[in-house]
Amino acid sequence: MTATETAVGAAAARPAAVRPPLPVKLVIAGGFGVGKTTAVGAISEIEPLTTEAAITEVAAGVDDLTHTPLKTTTTVAMDFGCLTIDPTLKLYLFGTPGQERFGFMWDDLVEGAVGALVIVDTRRLDDCFAAVDYFEHKGIPFAVAANAFDGRVEHTLDEVRWALDVAEGVPLVVFDARDTGSVRDALLVVLELALARTRG
Amino acid sequence: MADGAPPPGPGGPEPVGQASAVRPFLLTAGRVADCSDGRSLPLEAQVVATAEGIDALGRLAFERHDIVAVCRLPQSVAEIAARLRLHLNVVRVLAEDLRAAGQLTVHVPDSGVVQDASVLRRVIEGLRAIPDARGVRSDSD
């Protein structure tokens, strides 16, 4: 994404009547059924929207696919919501399908994201390995949030950190994906981390 | 906890149902979104109808009409796809067409936004102002 707003907008015949807000993107990742949609819905000002993002099963790492991105054998649902910070700034939350084979789509979703929240179900920790690896590899600020199903988690945070083998600098929190304040605080952890990165 | 199947809210968008029988490439005349070099429109790119676009609504048909109509207010590429139940890449291709025709403007966020501390601070402040279920703000405890 090298194009700037001016470079892209300049081709239009006239400026739009309405000045759109600056979109800021945050990614919500994690395995299937871990609570991504619930978390997005708990804080989004709109009902989470779903769009079909379609790729082939053999997508990841196959060069040919880049020439035929509409060729479809697998359709995955990507959920997202948004939050208007002020008329000039809007936060978008994209819930990514967590499975490893959707790596190709992650690049599409994650490009330009300020950070990510990886949601884990402590009963199924291995579901989030792919997401943790991905964000570590990409150097994107991320935090891990253990969703407290029924108000509790199966393992302590120390156990989760050990099991996931995430770096000490990666924040680990327990949250409730259904609770607005809880989701807000988890997102704040990610944003504070992203802000700390800007200070070098 | 069914990811991918949000409950339809009153007045809210309906969940994506059965896929359209029309193949995506028919809507784009066989063209595909160019994702190979990272230049494809980001999901969060903001799209707005121009005055020309609104004027042209009567002459536009099908998906092009719908895209311009839904962009009377700024929409992200992802929102357009979801609201119109179109494939993301179809929206990308058609939005580029409409932009080239002067009927839409497309605002792609500068990639530097990720590193912009002032923007991040504004998002943080905005988020902190969101009350939780008990009406307590996060910066008050």
Side-chain angles (χ1 to χ4, degrees), chain B residues 9-57:
Chain B
E14 294 167 20
V16 170
Q18 202 129 46
S20 168
V22 180
R23 308 307 293 171
F25 62 79
L26 285 176
L27 303 180
T28 64
R31 293 162 304 149
V32 296
D34 186 2
C35 300
S36 57
D37 56 3
R39 282 193 298 110
S40 65
L41 285 179
L43 299 171
E44 70 278 19
Q46 300 286 303
V47 185
V48 196
T50 60
E52 286 90 341
I54 301 296
D55 290 346
L57 270 179

Side-chain angles (χ1 to χ4, degrees), chain A residues 1-26 30-38 43 46-55 66-72 75 77-80 82-86 88-92 94 96 104-105 108-115 141 147 149 177-185 187-188 191-199, chain B residues 1-10 12-20 23-25 28 31-52 55 72-76 78-83 85-90 92-93 99-102 104-111 113-134 136-138 141:
Chain A
M1 201 187 326
T2 52
T4 64
E5 194 169 312
T6 38
V8 172
R14 274 200 254 161
V18 188
R19 179 88 186 158
L22 175 68
V24 173
K25 178 164 65 177
L26 214 145
F32 184 79
V34 84
K36 299 186 296 291
T37 308
T38 307
I43 196 128
I46 59 170
E47 284 287 324
L49 293 169
T50 301
T51 186
E52 288 175 62
I55 53 166
T66 61
H67 303 297
T68 55
L70 293 181
K71 187 169 187 286
T72 302
T75 299
M78 179 193 73
D79 300 313
F80 62 98
C82 57
L83 198 60
T84 300
I85 302 295
D86 65 43
T88 64
L89 192 60
K90 196 167 178 180
L91 178 66
Y92 282 89
F94 285 93
T96 74
F104 172 79
M105 203 182 80
D108 195 13
L109 295 177
V110 166
E111 179 75 48
V114 297
N147 192 5
F149 287 93
R178 301 161 300 184
D179 183 79
T180 301
S182 189
V183 175
R184 172 201 62 207
D185 293 345
L187 297 180
L188 281 168
L191 286 159
E192 294 282 3
L193 190 65
L195 180 60
R197 288 267 185 104
T198 66
R199 300 188 190 111
Chain B
M1 202 65 55
D3 276 16
E14 294 167 20
V16 170
Q18 202 129 46
S20 168
R23 308 307 293 171
F25 62 79
T28 64
R31 293 162 304 149
V32 296
D34 186 2
C35 300
S36 57
D37 56 3
R39 282 193 298 110
S40 65
L41 285 179
L43 299 171
E44 70 278 19
Q46 300 286 303
V47 185
V48 196
T50 60
E52 286 90 341
D55 290 346
R72 283 192 174 96
L73 290 175
Q75 304 279 326
S76 64
E79 281 169 291
I80 298 168
R83 294 187 200 284
R85 296 188 182 194
L86 291 170
H87 190 292
L88 271 176
N89 287 341
V90 168
R92 285 174 160 146
V93 170
R99 181 185 63 78
L104 294 177
T105 52
V106 178
H107 300 257
V108 177
D110 196 305
S111 55
V113 128
V114 181
Q115 299 294 331
D116 190 332
S118 66
V119 170
L120 291 172
R121 281 200 196 91
R122 285 166 61 204
V123 177
I124 288 169
E125 288 309 308
L127 258 183
R128 282 197 180 132
I130 293 174
D132 58 27
R134 297 179 303 281
V136 181
R137 291 179 180 216
S138 69
D141 53 28

